[in-house]
Amino acid sequence: MKHNRYVYYFSEGNKSMRELLGGKGADLAEMTRLKIPVPPGFTITTKACAYFSEHKKWPKELEGEVKKSLARLEKDMNAKLGDANNPLLVSVRSGAAVSMPGMMDTVLNLGMNDETVTGLAGKTGNERFSWDAYRRFLQMFGNVVMGVAHNYFEEVLEKIKQTKGVAYDTELNADELKKLVADYKEAIKQHAGLEFPQNANEQLKLAVNAVFNSWNSKRAIVYRELNNIKGLAGTAVNIQTMVYGNMGEDSGTGVCFSRNPATGENVFYGEMLFNAQGEDVVAGIRTPLQLSELKKKMPKQYAELDAIRLKLEKHYKDMQDMEFTIQQGKLYMLQTRRGKRTCQAAVRVAVEMVKEKLIDQKTALLRVPAEQLDQLLHKTLDPLAKKKAKLIATGLPASPGAAVGTVVFNAEQAVLHGEQGESIILVRTETSPEDIKGMHFAKGVLTARGGMTSHAAVVARGMGKCCVAGASEVIVKEQEKKFIVKDVEVKEGDWITLDGSTGEVFLDKIPVVDPSLSGDFATLMKWADKYRRLGVWTNADTPKDSEVAVGFGAEGIGLCRTEHMFFEGDRIKAVREMILSSDVEGRRKALAKLLPMQRSDFIGIFSIMKHRPVIIRTLDPPLHEFLPKEEKDVEELAKEMNVSVEVIKAKTEELHEFNPMLGHRGCRLGIMFPEITEMQARAIFEAAAEVKKKGIKVKPEVMIPLVGAVKEFELQKEIVDRVADEVMKEKRIKIDYVVGTMIEVPRAAITADEIAKVADFFSFGTNDLTQMGLGLSRDDAGKFLPLYVKLGVYNTDPFQAIDQQGVGQLMKICVEKARKANKKLKIGICGEHGGEPTSVEFCHKLGLDYVSCSPYRVPIARLAAAQAVIRK
Ligand code: ADP
Ligand code: MG
Ligand code: MG
């Protein structure tokens, strides 16, 4: 095979050539090899696109190669591009290595002009069809290649439909279509400032360039950004013989899935239209029919299609998303690809395919994107509240989940409000690729038109976002910022609730409830546990969180933040009293009030966690976080402490820090005020003693935060050990406990060997380690980090996924040094990263013992940990 080859005939490619031929091209080639009926054609490679993007012209070999393949196609089809009597028509279709639905451009019916329109009419004996093909071509070519906005064509079409008094374009006859063609040409001339090119070869060249250019269109770039698609050369271009679904009622076009993409159920699922072409189904021009209609009307073709879906699924061993067209009773396949699916469907399909012996357990585990498991754990509407709520419309259950929010009617508003953290619902007649960013920021999406395979539905499912599509009673008045449904008017800013699993739309807010997980989910998790090596623990501060996490499979608590308990009810008063006391006696008095409260918290958590390890971190945040800010609270506190308001204010002033995150916090507090650590240790061990007496085998682990030097750790450990001894003697009971430290100050990572000699465990606090390692303030970096990621300074936000080259190296050095110094040392991670799949994989590779993450991310970590093993 020559290296600089830019064109492949369909019969020359196969499914392994996605990088070069794009997904669409590779799979068209594969289907051709499988002897599935695919209209013949050829593919221009992604490398040609890359060359074009760089040099703004074709590589010199391309012209000749296209000519050669075109000649071959003309011979195979026994027709010629641009031939007045016997014209060949082709589609020019984009397709990158990664599917980007609707993101790039496609032109159908290329080769139509004033001469070939007559030739095609003669050849097919169908004048109306030929003019319909011509006007469709003018519209697509005018838009995609010549840059004339859709609405100019829509206006012309609307006008003709109105004068003729018809509702659908299918009702226009040949003469009316001729008039439409003339008007379209006029519109192109007027808005593009250029004559529509009659020469078919010129059309082809221009269309190929338009597809090349669409790779760098704004919406394609945004799509790649949002989906983190990087490192692709460009799009391939497929040039394919046209087949016609618009040749009458014995023709049609559709989109189908080999299984239900919303639920994963193993049933043939799809939508189609008779007498329609191309994008009609997806664009929501007419409301599509279910495949059952095809079965009724054309049982033979339905059976053939059904056999193809089974063949393709067996061949690809995965759920397929297919496009087909029937031309006068003859079925053609136009595309197959891996079907996008909801997480619920992904889990069900993966588990069922193992049972069907199509794939093995390891493959199944890799089939479910760990990050997406989140969707399954999302909330649903409270069934009782739902019964009482006002149902205003029902559409298609396009993407499951529940969404509660205020209504907006365009993407800009969605972004504006969404970025501020408001819950909003984007309501549109139908969405288009320009709406992607708005959808991203919306909690849910509601559309009035379009089916289960409409743009809104496909994109929402991909995003794991609740979506109700095609709620046809909803009349959206985007200009007036309201929608009307029967007698109800909903304005911008009003609350609505969507149920994406049923397609229902409700007025007002409805409370949501936690999900219950399916048997398939449990099966998949069981497999994950079988393969993973990493332990999966949770970050939980309350008995309730602990319970949820254990339900999700948490094997311990990796981080219990004691300070989170400090804000509740009366406690904050005692905490403030402690902080503002000027001497040890005052602090002890306040701490004595806190002791029983902390003890009871720990009793609650130990009782739920039972034998599982519980890591409790001593006080960490800078003290000013607890101080009263409101005048009223200041007064109250002054009274409580029997001092003047001024004294309180002066103290507050004294505690002010310029750099609180690098200030008096973490172990620095316990070193300066040992009585705080004493009280916390006492609460922990007294609680442990009490729970142990009930016959529960507790295992408290005390964790010292923000250690940078071994001496800091030793000073704190001394206190903990002393208090533990005291409590054990007082209660006459032995408690099995350990003391360890967080690794979050870079100095600690570098001097890990020293610290490891005296510590029982390490836990990476990657939030602070990232903050200090990169010198990036977590609270301020938001302003420029997105730009940094965009410019490729960092591959991803280092606070979301571990920066493996930087922070990751600190971790690596730490683990190596620490393990050498202390073979028995347990090492884990308890930063936000502990539940992020790429970070979990990294922790696996580093050889950590466990990861700890928030309760709802526990299943994600379990799956990611298994995937890390399988991928290796
Ligand atoms: P997308 O990537 O946006 O799905 P496609 O290249 O698949 O774009 O084209 C969109 C639609 O156009 C297809 O689903 C199909 O219905 C129609 N189409 C494309 N090529 C042909 C063809 N050769 N004959 C008939 N219809 C076609
Ligand atoms: Mg398209
Ligand atoms: Mg397609």
Side-chain angles (χ1 to χ4, degrees):
M1 199 195 306
K2 268 197 300 169
H3 263 298
N4 55 349
R5 187 171 164 191
Y6 288 112
V7 180
Y8 288 79
Y9 214 62
F10 285 169
S11 53
E12 296 172 320
N14 64 61
K15 70 173 183 200
S16 72
M17 296 167 75
R18 321 181 72 79
E19 291 263 324
L20 194 61
L21 303 180
K24 199 182 287 167
D27 290 329
L28 282 168
E30 188 76 10
M31 284 197 288
T32 305
R33 276 163 32 96
L34 291 173
K35 307 223 165 358
I36 286 169
V38 172
F42 55 90
T43 305
I44 301 175
T45 65
T46 54
K47 284 213 177 115
C49 177
Y51 185 99
F52 182 86
S53 300
E54 196 183 331
H55 299 93
K56 305 284 168 262
K57 63 174 190 202
W58 285 16
K60 67 177 190 311
E61 303 89 347
L62 185 55
E63 181 110 35
E65 287 187 48
V66 168
K67 229 183 207 157
K68 221 172 94 195
S69 295
L70 183 62
R72 179 169 173 187
L73 185 62
E74 289 175 333
K75 192 159 159 263
D76 283 353
M77 298 315 297
N78 193 23
K80 256 180 115 70
L81 190 73
D83 189 287
N85 299 313
N86 181 21
L88 171 73
L89 298 194
V90 294
S91 62
V92 177
R93 316 173 64 189
S94 61
V98 174
S99 154
M100 300 168 58
M103 279 305 117
M104 290 176 302
D105 293 321
T106 290
V107 177
L108 304 183
N109 305 334
L110 188 134
M112 292 304 286
N113 60 29
D114 293 350
E115 289 181 342
T116 53
V117 69
T118 324
L120 184 68
K123 190 177 165 181
T124 57
N126 188 338
E127 194 187 14
R128 185 201 175 275
F129 154 75
S130 186
W131 285 95
D132 188 46
Y134 194 8
R135 66 98 185 173
R136 284 172 184 269
F137 175 54
L138 281 169
Q139 172 159 6
M140 283 187 133
F141 191 89
N143 176 254
V144 170
V145 181
M146 303 186 73
V148 177
H150 268 303
N151 58 305
Y152 293 119
F153 297 104
E154 294 298 331
E155 273 169 21
V156 175
L157 179 62
E158 272 313 308
K159 213 156 81 202
I160 291 200
K161 284 201 300 201
Q162 261 173 26
T163 15
K164 304 295 163 191
V166 300
Y168 294 112
D169 51 1
T170 41
E171 297 168 89
L172 296 174
N173 65 28
D175 284 335
E176 287 150 6
L177 289 169
K178 271 183 205 171
K179 169 90 172 73
L180 190 58
V181 162
D183 290 353
Y184 272 2
K185 279 198 274 190
E186 195 48 43
I188 289 178
K189 197 162 140 189
Q190 192 184 334
H191 298 288
L194 279 173
E195 204 72 60
F196 157 77
Q198 290 283 331
N199 181 298
N201 285 308
E202 192 186 334
Q203 291 171 359
L204 182 64
K205 193 157 186 190
L206 290 170
V208 170
N209 288 349
V211 172
F212 281 162
N213 281 324
S214 70
W215 176 252
N216 284 316
S217 69
K218 211 168 148 198
R219 62 182 175 176
I221 290 170
V222 168
Y223 186 91
R224 289 199 290 275
E225 251 171 51
L226 286 177
N227 292 280
N228 206 12
I229 300 172
K230 284 178 181 168
L232 296 185
T235 178
V237 186
N238 302 288
I239 295 168
Q240 186 177 28
T241 308
M242 281 302 301
V243 290
Y244 310 103
N246 54 335
M247 286 192 82
E249 287 300 310
D250 60 350
S251 304
T253 186
V255 180
C256 54
F257 290 85
S258 61
R259 301 187 188 212
N260 184 316
T263 64
E265 193 188 349
N266 190 1
V267 290
F268 194 17
Y269 182 84
E271 289 173 332
M272 69 152 322
L273 284 171
F274 290 105
N275 198 12
Q277 191 182 38
E279 309 269 46
D280 292 2
V281 175
V282 211
I285 288 171
R286 281 180 271 154
T287 297
L289 308 168
Q290 296 296 305
L291 279 187
S292 51
E293 296 296 314
L294 178 67
K295 192 175 179 179
K296 254 190 257 162
K297 209 162 145 181
M298 304 175 112
K300 201 178 121 269
Q301 287 79 357
Y302 175 85
E304 197 186 342
L305 185 62
D306 195 26
I308 288 173
R309 75 122 173 167
L310 293 173
K311 183 171 180 175
L312 284 173
E313 200 179 82
K314 224 169 156 181
H315 183 70
Y316 283 95
K317 300 187 192 314
D318 201 355
M319 191 248 275
Q320 296 294 299
D321 167 356
M322 299 153 287
E323 296 172 3
F324 66 93
T325 284
I326 299 170
Q327 174 179 327
Q328 296 183 309
K330 165 103 182 81
L331 173 71
Y332 293 96
M333 299 308 290
L334 290 169
Q335 191 170 349
T336 190
R337 63 179 160 211
R338 187 181 171 276
K340 284 213 159 78
R341 61 205 82 178
T342 61
C343 187
Q344 191 192 343
V347 171
R348 180 163 177 182
V349 169
V351 171
E352 288 188 353
M353 282 190 170
V354 171
K355 290 184 186 148
E356 293 160 22
K357 299 210 164 40
L358 218 51
I359 56 175
D360 60 14
Q361 288 179 4
K362 289 183 180 176
T363 310
L365 285 164
L366 293 177
R367 283 281 168 84
V368 180
E371 188 58 45
Q372 278 183 21
L373 276 187
D374 223 11
Q375 292 172 28
L376 284 190
L377 315 173
H378 276 165
K379 298 166 189 293
T380 47
L381 295 179
D382 172 52
L384 281 177
K386 191 174 151 176
K387 260 189 203 142
K388 284 183 243 150
K390 185 169 162 69
L391 178 70
I392 52 172
T394 306
L396 299 168
S399 183
V404 186
T406 56
V407 169
V408 298
F409 291 94
N410 60 52
E412 293 82 72
Q413 288 295 317
V415 174
L416 198 77
H417 292 279
E419 269 181 337
Q420 270 152 30
E422 289 178 46
S423 297
I424 47 125
I425 292 186
L426 180 63
V427 180
R428 307 277 290 155
T429 301
E430 59 202 336
T431 63
S432 71
E434 281 78 36
D435 291 316
I436 297 263
K437 195 154 181 217
M439 293 177 72
H440 188 76
F441 279 103
K443 287 274 185 277
V445 180
L446 168 64
T447 66
R449 265 198 266 163
M452 290 291 281
T453 49
S454 67
H455 179 265
V458 172
V459 174
R461 278 201 295 274
M463 290 180 173
K465 195 141 286 188
C466 165
C467 174
V468 174
S472 51
E473 298 151 313
V474 172
I475 300 160
V476 184
K477 309 220 165 184
E478 273 141 16
Q479 295 306 322
E480 295 163 59
K481 301 200 168 175
K482 64 179 183 188
F483 74 77
I484 295 168
V485 49
K486 284 172 254 163
D487 55 339
V488 185
E489 201 180 31
V490 179
K491 291 195 286 293
E492 186 174 79
D494 291 350
W495 286 88
I496 62 167
T497 299
L498 303 181
D499 188 338
S501 312
T502 59
E504 290 160 303
V505 184
F506 301 93
L507 212 54
D508 293 327
K509 295 189 230 186
I510 300 178
V512 286
V513 287
D514 292 337
S516 71
L517 295 166
S518 75
D520 290 334
F521 175 82
T523 305
L524 193 81
M525 284 294 118
K526 215 170 67 206
W527 294 343
D529 291 346
K530 193 167 112 188
Y531 290 100
R532 75 183 155 92
R533 181 193 59 74
L534 275 174
V536 177
W537 299 13
T538 191
N539 299 348
D541 312 328
T542 64
K544 187 167 171 288
D545 284 357
S546 312
E547 202 167 1
V548 171
V550 168
F552 285 145
E555 298 159 299
I557 289 183
L559 175 63
C560 172
R561 303 171 175 92
T562 44
E563 65 271 11
H564 279 196
M565 306 161 166
F566 280 8
F567 283 97
E568 267 168 47
D570 270 355
R571 299 176 181 198
I572 188 66
K573 281 189 200 155
V575 174
R576 287 170 176 169
E577 198 182 316
M578 184 257 301
I579 294 171
L580 294 169
S581 303
S582 44
D583 52 19
V584 181
E585 279 69 50
R587 276 195 297 278
R588 282 197 194 282
K589 203 174 119 224
L591 285 165
K593 292 185 196 166
L594 282 171
L595 175 66
M597 304 189 214
Q598 287 245 289
R599 189 174 51 218
S600 77
D601 292 331
F602 297 142
I603 290 172
I605 291 176
F606 289 150
S607 307
I608 283 173
M609 296 309 288
K610 308 228 164 67
H611 59 279
R612 300 178 187 89
V614 176
I615 296 185
I616 296 164
R617 180 177 70 183
T618 52
L619 191 64
D620 181 51
L623 295 181
H624 76 92
E625 283 187 15
F626 301 105
L627 290 180
K629 284 167 194 89
E630 305 272 321
E631 193 68 32
K632 171 176 128 295
D633 296 336
V634 175
E635 277 165 25
E636 197 176 321
L637 186 64
K639 215 152 117 207
E640 193 107 345
M641 292 181 67
N642 207 8
V643 293
S644 72
V645 169
E646 281 66 40
V647 170
I648 303 277
K649 285 189 173 163
K651 284 268 172 202
T652 309
E653 189 68 24
E654 211 180 287
L655 282 169
H656 171 81
E657 291 182 311
F658 287 103
N659 239 330
M661 292 316 276
L662 301 177
H664 198 200
R665 55 171 288 224
C667 63
R668 299 159 197 175
L669 292 170
I671 288 170
M672 184 121 159
F673 308 123
E675 55 278 9
I676 299 180
T677 308
E678 266 167 31
M679 180 281 283
Q680 294 202 297
R682 180 160 281 276
I684 292 168
F685 294 116
E686 286 183 0
E690 193 166 327
V691 174
K692 194 172 177 189
K693 279 186 180 155
K694 284 190 225 147
I696 298 172
K697 215 176 133 215
V698 284
K699 187 155 186 245
E701 309 199 358
V702 183
M703 179 158 71
I704 312 300
L706 219 76
V707 164
V710 64
K711 187 74 188 167
E712 288 179 301
F713 178 72
E714 285 168 341
L715 287 168
Q716 289 289 283
K717 181 169 158 38
E718 243 170 62
I719 299 174
V720 174
D721 285 340
R722 174 164 49 77
V723 174
D725 260 0
E726 283 167 19
V727 175
M728 287 194 273
K729 276 199 194 106
E730 285 163 27
K731 309 275 172 193
R732 294 170 206 282
I733 196 166
K734 174 113 185 43
I735 298 160
D736 194 13
Y737 76 96
V738 291
V739 188
T741 179
M742 294 196 67
I743 300 291
E744 46 190 344
V745 176
R747 192 184 189 283
I750 304 287
T751 59
D753 45 350
E754 289 175 37
I755 306 172
K757 281 183 204 138
V758 285
D760 298 313
F761 67 89
F762 280 3
S763 177
F764 285 106
T766 43
N767 302 343
D768 265 311
L769 193 59
T770 301
Q771 176 162 262
M772 292 187 230
L774 274 60
L776 275 180
S777 158
R778 244 201 303 172
D779 306 304
D780 304 304
K783 283 181 206 138
F784 55 89
L785 256 187
L787 176 69
Y788 263 45
V789 174
K790 207 166 158 181
L791 294 175
V793 176
Y794 299 122
N795 277 334
T796 47
D797 179 339
F799 291 109
Q800 268 165 34
I802 288 175
D803 158 41
Q804 296 183 14
Q805 292 84 17
V807 173
Q809 292 311 302
L810 280 173
M811 294 169 72
K812 188 157 174 261
I813 292 168
C814 175
V815 171
E816 279 165 8
K817 285 190 152 187
R819 292 248 190 256
K820 225 177 264 167
N822 178 354
K823 298 255 158 352
K824 287 195 297 207
L825 189 80
K826 290 258 180 310
I827 309 181
I829 174 177
C830 63
E832 295 298 312
H833 302 94
E836 189 279 324
T838 63
S839 307
V840 172
E841 183 169 5
F842 183 72
C843 291
H844 170 80
K845 287 188 188 146
L846 276 188
L848 299 198
D849 296 295
Y850 68 89
V851 296
S852 184
C853 55
S854 63
Y856 278 86
R857 297 195 77 83
V858 165
I860 296 177
R862 286 163 77 192
L863 181 56
Q867 290 176 341
V869 174
I870 297 167
R871 281 206 192 101
K872 224 172 183 180

